[in-house]
């Protein structure tokens, strides 16, 4: 069996690890992201999924970046 995702929580995600995961064809997710700072960091790191208790704040940040 092969993994498709690496899921990180509690601020443990590192940019280098996310990059290596993507190089190996893995998707990267982070949980539970609830602050603007962590939203922005997750987006900078190129995560494929963000798990949050506050989706409206994440959507607002995404719209501001466009």
């Amino acid at each position: 069996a092969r993994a498709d995702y690496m899921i990180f929580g509690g601020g443990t995600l590192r940019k280098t690890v996310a990059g290596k995961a993507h190089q190996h064809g893995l998707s990267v997710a982070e949980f539970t992201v609830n602050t603007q700072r962590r939203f922005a960091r997750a987006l900078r790191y190129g995560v494929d999924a963000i798990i949050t208790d506050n989706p409206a704040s994440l959507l607002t940040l995404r719209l501001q970046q466009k």
Side-chain angles (χ1 to χ4, degrees):
R2 177 177 134 26
D4 295 317
Y5 259 90
M6 290 187 72
I7 303 174
F8 297 87
T12 60
L13 179 63
R14 300 293 176 257
K15 190 173 188 175
T16 55
V17 174
K20 286 187 185 280
H22 285 136
Q23 288 174 358
H24 290 282
L26 296 170
S27 296
V28 176
E30 186 175 13
F31 72 92
T32 303
V33 179
N34 287 323
T35 66
Q36 291 285 330
R37 180 177 170 201
R38 295 241 341 255
F39 285 145
R41 185 188 73 157
L43 295 172
R44 270 195 327 273
Y45 287 9
V47 301
D48 302 291
I50 296 174
I51 301 161
T52 182
D53 295 322
N54 193 352
S57 288
L58 177 58
L59 181 58
T60 298
L61 179 63
R62 289 293 291 157
L63 293 173
Q64 289 172 352
Q65 290 182 338
K66 290 185 178 190

